[in-house]
Amino acid sequence: MLVPSDMIAAQSKMVYQMNKYCTDRVQVRKAQIHKTIQEVCRIVQDVLKEVEVQEPRFISSLNDYNGRYDGLEVISPTEFEIIIYLNQMGVLNFVDDGTLPGCAVLKLSDGRKRSMSLWVEFITASGYLSARKIRSRFQTLVAQACDKCAYRDIVKMIADTTEVKLRIRERIIVQITPAFKCAGLWPRSASHWPLPGIPWPHPNIVAEVKTEGFDMLSKECIALQGKNSAMEGDAWVLCFTDAENRLLQGNYPVNLRKSGFKSAM
C-alpha cells in the first residue's frame, strides 16, 4: 500500500511530539510524585511508630515491597490516602444486610464474649464495633504522635474533620484510615457480581478476587450523611480497591462497569 509522503511526515512529527511530551512532562511528573511518595511514607512511618508506642493495637502496616507501599493510594500529586490494617478481633460477625448502602457492621456473636475482644472499649451497648470510636481514638493518638515525631516541624494534624488527616510542608495532604482486611469473605451486597452471561472475567479470576476479599474502612460514608442512621457511627465502609487492581492486572480487556463490578468507594 502506497502512503503519501506528506502523511508519513505528519505521522513522524506526531510521534516525535508524543515522545517529547512523555520525556519532558510525563517522566518528570512521575519522578516528582515518586519523590513525594518516598517522603510522605517516611514521615507517616515515623508518626505511626510513635502511635504504636502509645497504643500497641495500632501497628503500622505501611511497608515497602520492592518500591511499592501496601495500602498507599495516590489521589493526586499532593493528596494521598494510607490504609493502616488493624489486628483481627476473632469474636465479631460481619453483618451486611443492605440497610447501610456501601457499608457493613461488625457485631459480637455473643455478648458474653465482649471482654475477649481486642477492641472491647470500642464495642457499643448493642454489640457493634464502632468505626467512629476507633477513628476518634486513632485521631487522638496521631495528634500526640505528630508533636513527638522527628518531623514535628513540617507535619501538622488537620483538626476540622473527623478523619485522620495530616498536612505536610503546608502543601501535601495525607489521610490515614484504619481498616480491617476481610480475606476469604465476599459481601452480600456484591453477590450479584459478576453478571451472568458475560465472558469476562474468567471464573478462576472471580474465585481469586473473592478469595482475596475486600477492606472495611473507618471513614465517613457519603451515602449515610444526613440520614440520621442509628448505626451510622458504627458502620464500616466497604472498599474493593484491591479487587479492582487485581482485575486490572495482566492486560485484560477490562470494563469493570460492564462486568457489573461497582466499588463502594
Side-chain angles (χ1 to χ4, degrees), residues 4 9 17 28 31-33 88 94 97 112 142 144 162 172 176 185 196 202 214 231 233 240 246 252 261 263-264:
Q17 291 297 332
V28 170
Q32 289 173 341
I33 294 176
Q88 297 291 348
F94 175 81
D97 57 8
R112 292 172 295 180
V142 171
Q144 295 171 355
T162 64
I172 299 171
I176 309 176
L185 180 68
H202 190 274
F214 58 97
M231 290 193 296
F240 299 92
R246 186 170 290 272
Y252 295 119
F261 191 95
S263 173

Side-chain angles (χ1 to χ4, degrees), residues 208-221:
E208 190 177 307
V209 168
K210 291 187 175 183
T211 299
E212 186 69 18
F214 58 97
D215 295 336
M216 298 182 69
L217 310 183
S218 173
K219 64 190 305 183
E220 293 180 356
C221 181

